[in-house]
Amino acid sequence: MIETSRLLMRPPVEADFDAWANFDADENATRFFGGPKSRAAAWEMFATAAGMWALRGCGLFSVFTKQSETWVGRVGPWKPEGATSEIGYAILPTCWGQGFATEAAEAAIDWTLINLQWDQINHCIDADNSASIAVAERLGSKWLRSAEDATGKLTQVYGQSAREWMVRSRTP
């Protein structure tokens, strides 16, 4: 469990699935993630995220507000086979503009550097997703290159070294 000033974060459990599936069915939420998905397709992604925790010791965290304990998104280290590892973030559209993506990503980066010792922090972002690019820049990342994601889609990779992050954020 990770706790920030406003959020609680933990690996996903089956009780999170309804919120996850609702997110995946939302056209605005998934505009840059391949569009809305059926409940069955959402389950496959949810099971993949849970499985990554079992197989790789990391994955997306379910993110909740402390105040209401409401699920607001998924954020964390994502280490797909054959693609760039990244700290990903996806927050419910009803929660956009509240700083949750930045706050959760900061906590996920700290957790990743402490627990996984990554030497590079990346964010793979659709070129048209200006809000996500703004989050990456708030985190101190800069555009590095274009790269294909695990599905073959071209994304923009923003990033920084672990050292740059630690100097900027004062992570121990």
Side-chain angles (χ1 to χ4, degrees):
M1 177 75 78
I2 298 174
E3 188 172 335
T4 71
S5 62
R6 300 180 300 156
L7 303 171
L8 299 171
M9 300 165 55
R10 62 158 169 71
V13 298
E14 191 167 358
D16 301 340
F17 179 62
D18 283 339
W20 185 295
N22 288 337
F23 178 97
D24 278 358
D26 185 290
E27 190 171 338
N28 283 335
T30 60
R31 182 172 35 162
F32 300 109
F33 303 114
K37 293 166 191 59
S38 68
R39 188 168 175 86
W43 174 259
E44 288 180 17
M45 184 61 191
F46 182 77
T48 298
M52 189 173 290
W53 277 99
L55 296 172
R56 300 211 164 152
C58 66
L60 299 174
F61 293 95
S62 282
V63 181
F64 303 84
T65 62
K66 269 188 186 177
Q67 183 179 20
S68 66
E69 296 186 11
T70 301
W71 189 94
V72 296
R74 52 197 188 224
V75 175
W78 191 244
K79 195 174 176 181
E81 187 62 31
T84 302
S85 296
E86 67 169 314
I87 300 295
Y89 38 87
I91 299 294
L92 285 170
T94 56
C95 298
W96 289 351
Q98 298 180 46
F100 290 158
T102 302
E103 185 174 332
E106 287 172 341
I109 292 169
D110 286 344
W111 184 92
T112 299
L113 294 180
I114 292 166
N115 292 282
L116 304 175
Q117 284 104 39
W118 286 8
D119 60 2
Q120 178 70 28
I121 300 301
N122 293 315
H123 315 283
C124 300
I125 304 170
D126 185 291
D128 294 328
N129 192 343
S130 58
S132 186
I133 290 169
V135 170
E137 290 173 341
R138 275 194 294 281
L139 295 167
S141 291
K142 299 193 176 4
W143 184 87
L144 301 176
R145 66 186 179 281
S146 297
E148 287 187 1
D149 69 10
T151 67
K153 179 182 174 190
L154 189 64
T155 64
Q156 303 306 303
V157 180
Y158 284 73
Q160 61 192 298
S161 71
R163 181 171 180 75
E164 289 169 318
W165 173 261
M166 289 185 275
V167 167
R168 183 187 157 285
S169 71
R170 295 177 179 74
T171 300

